């Protein structure tokens, strides 16, 4: 993680990564493992069965995204 120290203190920063990946890839992305939970890494899953409409996609906090 390029900003691990900051992300550990401000986990909301990780919402930027989830949203950016979702927007760029065109599919919903969820973070399944995270440093903040003691997993020693972040693991992202691309939900290929959940395409997004890039034109209407709006930034949301990771905590607001449902699985």
């Amino acid at each position: 993680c390029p900003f691990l120290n900051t992300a550990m203190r401000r986990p909301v920063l990780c919402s930027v990564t989830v949203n950016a990946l979702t927007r760029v890839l065109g599919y919903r992305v969820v973070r399944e493992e995270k440093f903040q939970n003691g997993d020693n890494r972040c693991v992202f899953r691309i939900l290929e069965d959940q395409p997004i409409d890039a034109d209407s996609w709006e930034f949301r906090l990771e905590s607001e995204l449902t699985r």
Side-chain angles (χ1 to χ4, degrees):
C1 177
F3 40 77
L4 178 59
N5 291 334
T6 303
M8 292 300 287
R9 284 183 272 126
R10 304 264 193 264
V12 72
L13 177 64
C14 299
S15 293
V16 173
T17 303
V18 171
N19 278 273
L21 288 170
T22 295
R23 180 72 167 79
V24 168
L25 297 172
Y27 295 94
R28 194 162 155 256
V29 173
V30 294
R31 192 165 54 129
E32 295 184 334
E33 295 181 26
K34 46 183 104 174
F35 282 102
Q36 291 92 346
N37 289 348
D39 296 321
N40 294 320
R41 65 183 182 168
C42 285
V43 173
F44 300 90
R45 179 175 303 275
I46 302 164
L47 304 176
E48 294 180 89
D49 62 337
Q50 295 185 37
I52 58 123
D53 178 4
D55 293 331
S56 64
W57 179 258
E58 294 181 8
F59 180 91
R60 290 179 280 174
L61 295 176
E62 188 177 9
S63 61
E64 296 173 350
L65 302 171
T66 58
R67 285 197 170 229

